[in-house]
Amino acid sequence: LVAQDPPPGLLGYLGKTPLQSLGPALGEVLQRKDISERDKLMIVSRLQDVGTPEVKNYLGDLMHMSGEKLPAPVSRAIVQAMQEIVD
């Protein structure tokens, strides 16, 4: 992923590719400083739309491993998504 590449290309795989395959790339994008906060929030929103227990677990793991590296609005969006995804 190059700095100018919009994350939506990666998002096209959500729901079609196993999250375990996409997870590392999504986590990397969410932590990058050259990706806009808006795009990061879009990623969290799309993950929430998928809304599976697997996504909820992924978001929990992401917060545990990378929470301090994420912008505050992104962390808040992740916590909110986790609360709204039904187990």
Side-chain angles (χ1 to χ4, degrees):
L1 195 63
V2 181
Q4 294 83 4
D5 286 351
L10 188 59
L11 293 179
Y13 293 104
L14 266 179
K16 299 178 189 140
T17 303
L19 187 59
Q20 64 191 35
S21 300
L22 285 180
L26 291 173
E28 194 70 28
V29 169
L30 289 170
Q31 293 178 55
R32 285 180 49 171
K33 304 231 182 286
D34 60 333
I35 302 289
S36 76
E37 199 170 277
R38 180 182 60 83
D39 285 342
K40 292 176 184 180
L41 291 170
M42 184 190 332
I43 290 169
V44 174
S45 175
R46 285 293 306 279
L47 284 166
Q48 183 176 341
D49 290 345
V50 173
T52 63
E54 183 184 19
V55 168
K56 186 174 188 172
N57 290 337
Y58 169 75
L59 292 173
D61 290 346
L62 183 66
M63 283 300 293
H64 179 72
M65 307 276 278
S66 310
E68 69 282 350
K69 298 176 190 161
L70 301 171
V74 175
S75 292
R76 283 194 298 272
I78 289 172
V79 169
Q80 181 177 349
M82 288 170 54
Q83 290 170 345
E84 294 184 15
I85 294 172
V86 179
D87 286 324

